[in-house]
Amino acid sequence: MAFYYNEPSRTFSEYLLLPNLTTKDCTPDKVSLRTPIVRYKAGETSALYLNIPLASAIMQAVSDHRMAIELARSGGISFIYASQPIEDQAEMVRKVKSYKAGFVPSDSNLRPDHTLRDVLALTERTGHSTIAITEDGTANGKLVGIVTSRDYRRGRTPLETKVKDFMTPFSEMVYGQEGITLSEANDLIWEHKLNCLPIIDQHQNLRYLVFRKDYTAHKENPLELLDSQKRLVVGAGINTRDYRERVPALVEAGVDLLCVDSSDGFTEWQYETIQYIKEKYKGEVKVGGGNVVDEEAFLYLAEAGADFIKVGIGGGSICVTREQKGIGRGQATAVIEVAKARDEYYKRTGEYIPLCSDGGIVHDYHMVLALAMGAEFIMLGRYFARFDESPSPKIRRGMNYVKEYWGEGSNKARNWARYDLGGEDQLAFEEGVDSYVPYAGKLKDNLEISLAKIKSTMCNCGALTIPELQAKARLTLVSPLTLREGGAHDVILKKEEELDFS
């Protein structure tokens, strides 16, 4: 007969942390969120760490190269979505790896024979007031001039005036040669009172632009996640269908970490995918597996060679796997059981496998609960989809702005490759929905608030590191009335503006 678990599975909202003694030296500014994310042996260190325990989800609406750059600059990692052509995904990886803090590829470019009308249209579309003028109008063409808002007068300069007649020509420009350091570039900017410094190669082709404002931004990112060559770290999703072609392309592009993107990782297809990567690259290419919700599935992927294992089925805000198929488990229970299995595996084998909690995060404090229960880092979709840096469009709904957010199991994503069902080209039903999330602005501004909450909560638990939190945390189950008591109650709240989707 079927096996029954007598205890119900729990969500993060059913737990609270009990405070431990907070000593005088336990303050948020001393908390370290650095965490390992690939397996390592006892007595050794992990080959890859995060400076903050957050990853953006392998989703079309969340993780492209822009998100990857901004999150890596803040200390986390993005897994660029796999539901796109191989070359497109590899190109996104290349864009992240070629990014140099302060050195920005020009994405507003025109030719000398364009007109002021074209300049105004481009400025309106991009919001950029600095436009590089190249012979062919491309980002890396021969630089012949530059246009800023100081080169023309709206309403006075005729709209049909050619760019070549009002641009600042190359002969009058201050520029830097390729190979210049950011410090040297900024010295030129300050010395010549520039807002922008073009960087060219030996053939006068445009390579980058350095802006005055980016100097400060660079200094504001002390947690940047960099590889041994001082390049940003980036991950990428793969599937169990075309991995023999996709993985080599991603490795050639410079990817740092792979993850098999699957709704259910307890499959022979995923086992074979992980083993293929481990054997082909002699363990040098790191790959995570998942998703799992129990000990048996964890051990299966651990033996396959997974460098980290993702935990969670059906807990995402846009996931309806539990409704459609009755498959899944409460996220808190899943993390607790898999973490216990991981610790026993470590005692038995001497190899520690980091866990990634994927799904079920509604409030910021849920992140601390996931870490306390045994996860090394957390994968988030809805959280990151709200920001400027996500690839989804921002639109107006009623009196508010929202961003589109859709599941990889939705018809919009059409990502059937993540469902390991042995050769089907499509699914007969959806396991994800198409939705909106409230627009929240820039990633950095919101992330700082979330990280401040995490650090403050860890101090309440008497912990300065994630391992210390996992060792010291005390958790208690709560009742529905406890949840009600925990929010504002028995008072008349002042009216707050609510999101209007009408």
Side-chain angles (χ1 to χ4, degrees):
M1 63 178 291
F3 181 83
Y4 292 88
Y5 288 88
N6 293 320
E7 290 295 321
S9 63
R10 307 284 186 178
T11 68
F12 291 132
S13 290
E14 295 179 82
Y15 286 90
L16 287 174
L17 287 155
L18 272 62
N20 290 325
L21 174 65
T22 302
T23 59
K24 292 181 180 179
D25 63 347
C26 193
T27 56
D29 61 298
K30 296 178 181 176
V31 171
S32 170
L33 295 177
R34 191 166 186 262
T35 186
I37 59 170
V38 295
R39 75 157 72 196
Y40 59 93
K41 295 180 179 180
E44 299 179 357
T45 58
S46 176
L48 188 58
Y49 283 79
L50 296 181
N51 290 327
I52 62 171
L54 302 180
S56 65
I58 312 170
M59 300 176 68
Q60 294 175 10
V62 180
S63 297
D64 66 355
H65 59 284
R66 290 181 63 238
M67 177 63 71
I69 288 170
E70 290 306 312
L71 187 51
R73 295 186 72 190
S74 295
I77 190 171
S78 288
F79 288 88
I80 292 176
Y81 66 93
S83 48
Q84 60 178 317
I86 293 172
E87 183 50 41
D88 291 350
Q89 188 185 22
E91 180 58 26
M92 286 188 181
V93 171
R94 279 191 286 269
K95 286 181 178 179
V96 180
K97 300 307 292 186
S98 63
Y99 176 85
K100 297 166 68 176
F103 292 83
V104 182
S106 178
D107 53 7
S108 290
N109 311 283
L110 291 174
R111 298 188 309 272
D113 59 343
H114 277 112
T115 65
L116 177 58
R117 188 187 303 277
D118 298 315
V119 169
L120 296 178
L122 183 59
T123 298
E124 177 69 22
R125 187 170 71 251
T126 64
H128 301 157
S129 60
T130 299
I131 300 174
I133 309 302
T134 59
E135 282 190 348
D136 59 3
T138 65
N140 298 120
K142 185 176 182 179
L143 184 66
V144 295
I146 198 162
V147 169
T148 72
S149 58
R150 292 178 296 182
D151 292 314
Y152 57 87
R153 294 181 66 183
R154 280 177 176 264
R156 294 290 186 92
T157 306
L159 293 178
E160 300 308 319
T161 305
K162 297 290 187 182
V163 167
K164 63 184 178 182
D165 294 330
F166 63 86
M167 71 182 186
T168 300
F170 182 78
S171 60
E172 298 177 16
M173 291 171 55
V174 177
Y175 53 87
Q177 291 286 345
E178 190 172 21
I180 191 174
T181 67
L182 184 60
S183 177
E184 291 168 342
N186 279 292
D187 286 343
L188 285 175
I189 287 174
W190 288 98
E191 179 183 345
H192 295 277
K193 299 180 180 179
L194 305 173
N195 287 322
C196 174
L197 178 74
I199 307 298
I200 61 172
D201 65 15
Q202 59 182 342
H203 303 295
Q204 200 177 314
N205 295 317
L206 179 63
R207 301 300 299 155
Y208 303 103
L209 299 176
V210 178
F211 293 91
R212 177 189 291 260
K213 62 182 176 62
D214 286 340
Y215 177 77
T216 302
H218 175 59
K219 294 296 184 182
E220 290 176 351
N221 291 283
L223 295 178
E224 277 186 328
L225 193 64
L226 305 173
D227 64 17
S228 59
Q229 300 177 49
K230 305 299 182 183
R231 301 176 302 176
L232 294 177
V233 170
V234 61
I238 60 172
N239 60 60
T240 59
R241 308 267 180 117
D242 63 11
Y243 61 92
R244 293 176 187 271
E245 296 77 37
R246 188 174 295 269
V247 171
L250 294 172
V251 171
E252 190 275 332
V255 75
D256 296 280
L257 184 60
L258 300 172
C259 182
V260 184
D261 179 31
S262 177
S263 63
D264 175 14
F266 197 11
T267 72
E268 291 182 341
W269 292 290
Q270 185 154 156
Y271 190 100
E272 291 174 359
T273 301
I274 294 172
Q275 283 218 316
Y276 167 82
I277 295 170
K278 288 297 163 185
E279 292 171 3
K280 179 177 176 63
Y281 295 100
K282 312 301 182 186
E284 293 300 315
V285 173
K286 306 300 182 183
V287 56
N291 286 18
V292 305
V293 293
D294 64 0
E295 176 184 14
E296 189 176 1
F298 166 82
L299 292 174
Y300 187 75
L301 294 186
E303 294 301 328
D307 289 294
F308 70 86
I309 293 178
K310 212 143 59 81
V311 182
I313 294 177
S317 59
I318 40 69
C319 183
V320 290
T321 295
R322 297 179 192 175
E323 292 180 14
Q324 294 282 46
K325 294 164 60 174
I327 294 290
R329 197 175 200 185
Q331 187 66 11
T333 298
V335 172
I336 291 169
E337 178 170 323
V338 175
K340 181 181 177 182
R342 184 269 314 280
D343 292 345
E344 292 174 351
Y345 181 85
Y346 176 57
K347 291 178 182 177
R348 177 167 57 85
T349 66
E351 291 195 336
Y352 190 89
I353 303 177
L355 300 181
C356 172
S357 177
D358 178 18
I361 301 294
V362 179
H363 306 291
D364 286 349
Y365 82 89
H366 287 171
M367 300 181 196
V368 188
L369 288 173
L371 297 172
M373 290 172 178
E376 271 63 45
F377 65 112
I378 303 147
M379 183 168 280
L380 302 161
R382 179 191 61 86
Y383 179 88
F384 288 113
R386 304 173 299 149
F387 303 146
D388 284 324
E389 294 80 4
S390 74
S392 59
K394 180 180 75 173
I395 60 176
R396 185 162 183 167
R397 297 279 292 176
M399 299 299 293
N400 300 280
Y401 283 101
V402 296
K403 296 205 76 176
E404 289 191 66
Y405 180 46
W406 59 94
E408 289 298 290
S410 67
N411 271 322
K412 182 169 185 174
R414 306 191 66 81
N415 185 14
W416 308 138
R418 75 188 301 268
Y419 298 92
D420 297 325
L421 297 177
E424 291 186 22
D425 291 329
Q426 62 182 30
L427 295 183
F429 56 88
E430 295 181 279
E431 292 189 42
V433 300
D434 191 358
S435 64
Y436 299 110
V437 289
Y439 169 65
K442 293 186 178 299
L443 178 149
K444 185 175 178 61
D445 296 339
N446 290 272
L447 191 59
E448 286 178 349
I449 296 172
S450 296
L451 294 177
K453 290 180 184 179
I454 292 173
K455 291 179 179 180
S456 180
T457 304
M458 288 174 62
C459 288
N460 289 139
C461 296
L464 290 174
T465 66
I466 292 173
E468 191 176 5
L469 173 68
Q470 293 171 347
K472 290 185 175 181
R474 296 184 296 156
L475 297 103
T476 181
L477 282 168
V478 296
S479 68
L481 288 178
T482 305
L483 292 173
R484 179 182 181 278
E485 181 183 63
H489 61 91
D490 301 315
V491 294
I492 300 173
L493 291 175
K494 294 180 180 179
K495 186 176 180 180
E496 297 177 353
E497 292 296 324
E498 295 183 356
L499 196 62
D500 180 15
F501 290 110
S502 62

